[in-house]
């Protein structure tokens, strides 16, 4: 940058010779640009190329003549390495603050002597391959201070996913201060950039919005401490040049594996170059890093596609099932939950009656939700009892063990809700351990849902949480499922345990949560545990390493759910999304069932209030689901028509050998006599023939062969026809739906 400014007085001296000056100016500006853009003044000298590649994507780094590490390329893999060398060294890969950087840095550090700068030069690189995964580590060092920054990139070849994180270490005498510590910095160069973000609130999770980035900074972040999500989800799409569709356009999709405050920052600079920085939110989180203690950032997981959002979602889904989610290919239990059916108003008899409903439906498990604990302060509402994990004697005189037995006697498993990180002020736990709570000295307590957050950074609190789970499972080893809730964010943040390091609280809290989960998983490796956070507050791959599924939202109105589930489907596989059929909303039971079926189906309903016809329909739906769930969970997902584009939504799943598919079609609020075009299917084998069957029909509804104009149930079509001509689906009447099964016929 210095070179460029130094040229200006020289140019002014030549002002009399205007023409010559103009030419000279042009040449000089060009030369000065080269000397700025190409370090060391040696145009594009690449001393070393470092490749991070999947089957289709390449992230290429180069070491320049100045020994700095540059990001040379991010996009579709090029056939020849020589071609990468034709590119310019424009963007330093992981930009430190304090020297010549003029935009947002990836890292900022203040050394022991007060020097607030860092210079990072390439020192070493290594790669290791294990099966499908190649991990590249690049070590950068400061030439003047004993600081090392390791950038790690794990490339998942078949899944086309890159997972990256950073490890920061030093050997200075005293702690250094880290005020920025990105998991990833990525650079893009395009004419235009389109950012898709997902935001909302409680019961309005995952609202999708796309906008064109303008010069300056756009930040997606949260400052919630105990959870990443609520107002903003740690996920994004960035489309280059044009908005991408499901099947076209260059798009990068990224997400951060961190169950706490996060930041994703997009800065468009003076040369229209974009830097994307993702990581823990550095807000109020200055970190005092001790000598030789590595600071390991959370993982940023991303994928790239030159053919639109559908492919990036499928990449995420495959990666998540193979690597990102606990037991990603395992079984999941269909369940009946009592939350919306009873709220806090239940006792032993009412519960055992509900077991009958679960059995009748044919689900695998009954899940007892909030309200089963507390004696001095019984949990009869959300005002009391939280933290006192003993069965309420008046409600459950024979305890949990009896409920497990009763459920099993009826042929179903039993699962239970806990919210172990929280406490009501009206509880014995609060009375006994006031020092176990995150709260500011000299300030009033601040409640959200009448509760406070426990100070999980305190090892005694970690033991308490672990013990609660461990004791319960030791006493009742046949508990088949846990729902782990977290109903509030942090406010008035102060840890009595961490004392002087208050800016560490948010980071240490999440690390402590993972520490507890490590202990639980070491002892109970496969027990299904649902991640829940007052609706969809914890939906991230940091937590999903320990959890088998998540609760997307407390909003179970089926129309709202189409949008919410649609949003999550971009980044998370269906096997993780718990979709329950409830009585919220005005839609028919069939509509609600069809919506829940596009993920991990469950119920939260009073079965004894169903009509005979509804019960018969539901029993058949559970059977259909059991037959199709393998395909829904593990098949490739194709979002065919988005509810954001039309008054309908169509989504389908295709199994690996393309012999089986299921399609869900939902009509929202189409205008009278609306004529929808045929729906062209995707992902099938053009050379195969498929029989089409409508399932989940409700008697009294449409009979066989009655839907739409273009085809009949039971008819056979070629994959070619279905993908080129398509089906005319029955989506003209408001709030109707259809589930269509496609089976290969030989
Ligand atoms: C919030 C969850 O999202 C609900 O499903 C339910 O478990 C309640 N908490 C219970 O308090």
């Amino acid at each position: 940058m210095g070179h460029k400014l130094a040229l200006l007085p020289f140019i002014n001296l030549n002002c009399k010779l205007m023409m010559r000056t103009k030419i000279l100016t042009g040449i000089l500006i060009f030369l000065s640009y080269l000397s700025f853009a190409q370090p060391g003044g040696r145009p594009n000298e690449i001393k070393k190329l470092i490749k991070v590649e999947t089957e289709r994507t390449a992230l290429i780094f180069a070491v320049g003549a100045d020994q700095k590490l540059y990001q040379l390329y991010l996009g579709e893999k090029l056939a020849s390495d020589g071609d990468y060398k034709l590119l310019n060294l424009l963007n330093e890969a992981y930009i430190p603050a304090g020297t010549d950087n003029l935009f947002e840095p990836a890292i900022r550090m203040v050394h022991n002597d007060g020097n607030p700068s860092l210079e990072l030069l390439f020192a070493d690189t290594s790669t290791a391959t294990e099966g499908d995964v190649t991990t590249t580590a690049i070590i950068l060092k400061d030439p003047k201070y004993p600081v090392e920054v390791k950038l790690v990139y794990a490339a998942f070849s078949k899944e086309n996913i890159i997972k990256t994180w950073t490890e920061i270490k030093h050997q200075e005498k005293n702690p250094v201060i880290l005020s920025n510590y990105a998991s990833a910095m990525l650079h893009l160069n395009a004419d235009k950039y389109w950012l898709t973000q997902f935001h909302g609130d409680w019961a309005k999770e995952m609202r999708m919005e796309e906008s064109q980035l303008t010069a300056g900074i756009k930040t997606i972040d949260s400052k919630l401490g105990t959870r990443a999500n609520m107002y903003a989800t740690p996920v994004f799409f960035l489309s280059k040049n044009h908005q991408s569709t499901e099947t076209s356009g260059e798009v990068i999709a990224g997400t951060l594996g961190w169950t706490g405050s996060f930041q994703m920052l997009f800065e468009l600079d003076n040369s229209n170059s974009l830097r994307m920085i993702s990581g823990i939110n550095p807000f109020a989180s200055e970190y005092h890093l001790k000598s030789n203690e590595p600071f390991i950032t959370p993982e940023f997981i991303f994928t790239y596609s030159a053919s639109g959002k559908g492919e990036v979602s499928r990449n995420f889904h495959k990666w998540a099932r193979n690597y990102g989610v606990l037991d990603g290919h395992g079984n999941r239990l269909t369940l009946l939950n009592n939350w919306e059916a009873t709220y806090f108003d239940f006792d032993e008899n009412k519960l055992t009656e509900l077991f009958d409903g679960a059995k009748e439906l044919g689900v695998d498990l009954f899940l007892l939700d909030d309200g089963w604990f507390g004696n001095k302060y019984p949990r009869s509402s959300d005002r009391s009892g939280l933290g006192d994990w003993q069965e309420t004697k008046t409600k459950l005189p024979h305890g949990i063990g009896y409920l497990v037995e009763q459920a099993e006697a009826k042929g179903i498993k039993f699962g239970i809700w806990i919210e172990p990180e929280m406490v009501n002020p009206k509880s014995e736990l609060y009375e006994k351990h006031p020092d176990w709570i995150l709260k500011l000295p000299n300030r009033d307590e601040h409640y959200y849902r009448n509760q406070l957050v426990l100070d999980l950074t305190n090892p005694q609190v970690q033991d308490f949480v672990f013990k609660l789970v461990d004791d319960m499972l030791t006493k009742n080893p046949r508990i088949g499922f846990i729902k782990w809730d977290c109903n509030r964010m942090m406010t008035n943040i102060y840890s009595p345990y961490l004392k002087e390091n208050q800016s560490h609280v948010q980071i240490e809290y999440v690390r402590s949560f993972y520490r507890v989960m490590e202990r639980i998983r070491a002892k109970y490796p496969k027990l299904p545990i649902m991640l829940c956070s007052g609706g969809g507050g914890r939906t991230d791959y940091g937590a999903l390493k320990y959890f088998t599924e998540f609760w997307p939202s407390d909003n179970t109105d089926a129309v709202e759910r189409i949008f919410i589930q649609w949003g999550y489907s971009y980044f998370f596989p269906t096997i993780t999304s718990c979709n329950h059929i409830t009585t919220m909303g005005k839609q028919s039971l069939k509509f609600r069932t069809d919506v829940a079926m596009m993920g991990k189906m469950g119920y939260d309903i009073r079965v004894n209030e169903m009509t005979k016809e509804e019960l018969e329909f539901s029993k058949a739906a559970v059977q259909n689901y059991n037959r199709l769930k393998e395909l829904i969970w593990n098949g490739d997902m194709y979002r065919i028509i988005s509810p954001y584009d039309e008054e309908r939504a169509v989504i389908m799943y295709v199994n690996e050998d393309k012999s089986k598919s299921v399609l869900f079609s939902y009509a929202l609020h189409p205008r009278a006599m609306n004529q929808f075009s045929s729906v062209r299917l995707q992902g099938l084998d053009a050379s195969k023939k498929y029989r089409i069957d409508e399932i989940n029909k409700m008697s009294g509804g449409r009979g066989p062969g009655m839907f739409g104009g273009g085809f009949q149930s039971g008819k056979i079509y070629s994959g070619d026809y279905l993908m080129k001509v398509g089906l005319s689906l029955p989506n003209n009447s408001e709030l109707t739906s259809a589930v269509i099964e496609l089976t290969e016929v030989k």
Side-chain angles (χ1 to χ4, degrees):
M1 193 59 171
H3 299 273
K4 217 181 205 172
L5 295 174
L7 289 167
L8 292 175
F10 173 76
I11 292 163
N12 285 341
L13 285 178
N14 292 283
C15 59
K16 283 185 194 155
L17 303 162
M18 287 300 282
M19 272 312 284
R20 275 165 58 194
T21 304
K22 270 189 189 161
I23 295 164
L24 197 59
T25 309
I27 294 168
L28 288 171
I29 286 177
F30 178 66
L31 289 175
S32 69
Y33 171 74
L34 283 185
S35 69
F36 173 55
Q38 293 154 8
R42 279 172 282 175
N44 259 335
E45 188 185 334
I46 291 175
K47 286 175 68 180
K48 187 176 181 60
L49 212 58
I50 303 170
K51 297 189 294 169
V52 175
E53 290 176 322
T54 66
E55 262 176 16
R56 296 190 298 282
T57 301
L59 171 62
I60 308 293
F61 298 99
V63 180
D66 59 359
Q67 206 56 24
K68 287 187 179 171
L69 181 77
Y70 291 83
Q71 183 198 304
L72 199 57
Y73 181 78
L74 169 56
E76 228 174 330
K77 205 157 144 180
L78 301 184
S80 151
D81 281 3
D83 288 349
Y84 294 123
K85 295 191 177 144
L86 300 172
L87 290 157
N88 284 333
L89 298 180
L90 286 179
N91 304 108
E92 198 179 335
Y94 192 79
I95 303 179
T99 55
D100 60 355
N101 166 56
L102 297 175
F103 294 92
E104 197 65 20
I107 180 167
R108 181 169 183 275
M109 180 183 286
V110 180
H111 301 276
N112 281 193
D113 62 1
N115 188 324
S117 71
L118 197 64
E119 212 185 318
L120 293 176
L121 301 185
F122 172 78
D124 199 5
T125 183
S126 61
T127 20
T129 301
E130 220 187 301
D132 182 41
V133 193
T134 301
T135 306
T136 305
I138 306 174
I139 296 178
L140 308 172
K141 287 188 176 165
D142 189 307
K144 297 281 162 45
Y145 289 87
V147 175
E148 179 181 303
V149 172
K150 197 200 272 182
L151 309 177
V152 192
Y153 302 89
F156 297 80
S157 186
K158 282 200 298 291
E159 297 79 6
N160 209 33
I161 287 272
I162 298 174
K163 184 174 90 172
T164 172
W165 69 94
T166 303
E167 300 180 12
I168 305 161
K169 214 167 67 180
H170 73 93
Q171 273 112 30
E172 297 192 22
K173 199 159 160 262
N174 296 311
V176 299
I177 301 170
L178 273 174
S179 47
N180 294 69
Y181 31 76
S183 293
M185 172 180 251
L186 292 174
H187 302 273
L188 285 183
N189 288 290
D191 286 340
K192 290 181 180 146
Y193 307 91
W194 294 88
L195 176 72
T196 307
Q197 63 190 97
F198 295 80
H199 57 92
D201 200 342
W202 176 78
K204 297 189 211 164
E205 291 86 349
M206 282 311 257
R207 299 204 163 171
M208 180 167 76
E209 194 172 349
E210 184 166 25
S211 51
Q212 190 183 339
L213 288 177
T214 54
I217 292 180
K218 163 87 187 179
T219 307
I220 303 171
D221 80 340
S222 76
K223 302 184 177 72
L224 303 172
T226 57
R227 61 215 290 190
N229 193 358
M230 179 149 169
Y231 307 124
T233 314
V235 296
F236 70 86
F237 286 123
L238 199 288
S239 302
K240 278 174 75 178
N241 298 318
H242 307 282
Q243 285 166 281
S244 53
T245 67
E246 283 293 324
T247 51
S248 70
E250 266 192 272
V251 59
I252 285 173
T255 179
L256 189 76
W258 184 243
T259 318
S261 305
F262 74 94
Q263 187 188 66
M264 290 169 160
L265 185 146
F266 305 82
E267 185 168 33
L268 196 50
D269 70 12
N270 55 323
S271 5
N272 206 46
S273 179
L274 182 73
R275 57 177 78 171
M276 306 189 283
I277 303 175
S278 305
I280 295 174
N281 197 335
F283 172 75
S285 293
E286 230 171 40
Y287 200 86
H288 300 251
L289 182 66
K290 289 190 196 135
S291 189
N292 277 318
E293 176 193 288
F295 181 94
I296 302 177
T297 70
E299 293 157 353
F300 175 69
I301 306 135
F302 71 98
T303 180
Y304 163 89
S305 167
S307 26
K309 291 173 179 153
E311 186 175 297
V312 300
S313 293
R314 289 186 290 278
N315 292 345
F316 269 123
H317 297 167
K318 276 192 196 122
W319 172 83
R321 287 190 299 256
N322 290 344
Y323 304 98
V325 175
L326 186 87
D327 203 16
H329 289 279
N331 187 31
R332 296 293 185 276
L333 303 167
T334 49
L335 53 88
L336 173 72
N337 187 194
N338 72 311
W339 178 242
E340 288 188 37
T342 66
Y343 294 103
F344 295 98
D345 179 21
F346 60 82
D347 60 17
E348 204 167 77
N349 290 336
K350 213 170 189 179
L351 291 179
T352 46
E353 270 167 43
L354 290 173
F355 295 171
D356 294 328
K359 184 180 165 49
E360 201 152 5
L361 275 178
V363 297
D364 304 317
L365 178 131
F366 177 86
L367 170 62
L368 172 58
D369 214 284
D370 194 356
W372 57 267
F373 47 87
N375 283 302
K376 182 170 175 194
Y377 303 106
R379 179 82 170 163
S380 45
S381 76
D382 61 18
R383 298 188 171 276
S384 59
L386 199 57
D388 301 346
W389 298 106
Q390 301 81 34
E391 300 93 324
T392 307
K393 294 217 171 67
T394 47
K395 271 185 176 174
L396 306 177
H398 301 98
I400 298 295
Y402 172 79
L403 293 175
V404 177
E405 270 168 30
Q406 288 301 302
E408 284 183 350
K410 295 192 172 154
I412 50 170
K413 294 185 177 189
F414 180 84
I416 196 155
W417 177 98
I418 51 174
E419 191 182 5
E421 300 154 74
M422 305 283 160
V423 62
N424 279 132
K426 214 169 157 194
S427 68
E428 290 184 80
L429 182 66
Y430 179 94
E431 288 170 352
K432 251 193 259 160
H433 295 290
D435 55 323
W436 279 12
I437 295 166
L438 289 180
K439 59 178 174 179
L440 281 168
N442 307 321
R443 302 272 175 220
D444 290 342
E445 286 181 353
H446 178 259
Y447 307 125
Y448 182 93
R449 210 191 188 220
N450 309 301
Q451 65 194 55
L452 292 158
V453 184
L454 291 179
D455 183 3
L456 204 57
T457 68
N458 182 340
Q460 285 184 312
V461 177
Q462 293 168 29
D463 287 347
F464 167 81
V465 174
F466 172 75
K467 230 169 127 354
L468 147 67
V469 178
D470 191 33
D471 286 352
M472 192 159 70
L473 293 175
T474 309
K475 222 166 126 195
N476 305 293
R478 292 205 305 280
I479 284 184
F481 188 90
I482 287 180
K483 176 176 177 183
W484 184 303
D485 210 341
C486 162
N487 277 296
R488 69 158 296 174
M489 68 299 285
M490 290 180 192
T491 52
N492 283 12
I493 306 175
Y494 184 92
S495 152
Y497 176 77
L498 288 179
K499 299 195 180 77
E500 70 276 9
N501 274 338
Q502 290 304 318
S503 60
H504 292 198
V505 180
Q506 299 202 42
I507 297 173
E508 290 306 337
Y509 185 94
V510 180
R511 288 179 175 169
S512 306
F513 172 56
Y514 294 157
R515 233 170 265 140
V516 173
M517 292 315 301
E518 288 287 341
R519 282 170 75 184
I520 292 175
R521 282 313 182 186
K523 197 154 174 195
Y524 307 100
K526 286 228 168 151
L527 178 79
I529 309 186
M530 182 204 286
L531 185 57
C532 175
S533 187
R538 279 180 167 173
T539 48
D540 64 84
Y541 283 116
L544 281 169
K545 280 181 188 157
Y546 308 104
F547 291 81
T548 45
E549 52 220 86
F550 67 86
W551 182 237
S553 176
D554 280 348
N555 192 339
T556 52
D557 174 294
V559 170
E560 292 300 322
R561 271 292 175 139
I562 290 176
F563 285 89
I564 292 168
Q565 292 167 194
W566 200 266
Y568 286 115
S569 83
Y570 286 107
F571 300 90
F572 300 97
T574 47
I575 193 166
T576 57
S577 175
C578 299
N579 306 338
H580 290 185
I581 298 149
T582 72
T583 47
M584 200 183 280
K586 298 187 200 79
Q587 309 85 21
S588 68
L589 179 67
K590 169 173 166 58
F591 190 88
R592 286 177 275 142
T593 306
D594 290 355
V595 171
M597 230 194 218
M598 65 152 107
K600 192 206 152 233
M601 184 170 90
Y603 288 84
D604 199 335
I605 209 163
R606 290 191 202 157
V607 180
N608 60 357
E609 288 178 8
M610 283 182 172
T611 63
K612 198 168 165 279
E613 187 202 358
E614 284 176 335
L615 183 60
E616 287 314 310
F617 165 79
S618 299
K619 283 161 69 172
V622 171
Q623 279 171 22
N624 284 334
Y625 185 69
N626 285 339
R627 187 163 42 79
L628 293 171
K629 63 188 182 189
E630 190 61 32
L631 163 63
I632 295 170
W633 296 341
N634 295 312
D636 278 337
M637 172 195 279
Y638 295 86
R639 285 177 300 261
I640 308 287
I641 292 176
S642 167
Y644 283 91
D645 297 336
E646 296 187 17
E647 281 294 341
R648 59 177 174 165
V650 180
I651 196 163
M652 64 184 282
Y653 305 84
V654 184
N655 71 352
E656 207 180 340
D657 70 4
K658 298 179 187 295
S659 59
K660 191 93 195 157
S661 172
V662 61
L663 176 145
F664 298 90
S665 168
Y666 312 101
L668 304 176
H669 304 288
R671 303 212 35 208
M673 310 300 287
N674 206 348
Q675 289 297 320
F676 285 122
S677 57
S678 295
V679 175
R680 290 182 190 171
L681 310 197
Q682 291 175 37
L684 302 173
D685 182 338
S687 64
K688 288 193 157 100
K689 297 217 174 309
Y690 298 91
R691 197 190 59 243
I692 307 274
D693 294 299
E694 185 180 6
I695 58 164
N696 272 12
K697 285 179 290 188
M698 223 165 160
S699 55
R702 293 182 308 275
M706 294 295 286
F707 55 89
F711 70 102
Q712 289 183 320
S713 196
K715 228 174 148 182
I716 291 168
Y717 296 85
S718 71
D720 190 42
Y721 177 96
L722 291 168
M723 292 192 289
K724 289 183 180 154
V725 180
L727 292 177
S728 163
L729 295 169
N731 37 30
N732 288 345
S733 345
E734 193 171 45
L735 300 178
T736 54
S737 55
V739 182
I740 295 158
E741 195 176 338
L742 292 89
T743 313
E744 183 189 357
V745 282
K746 298 220 168 145

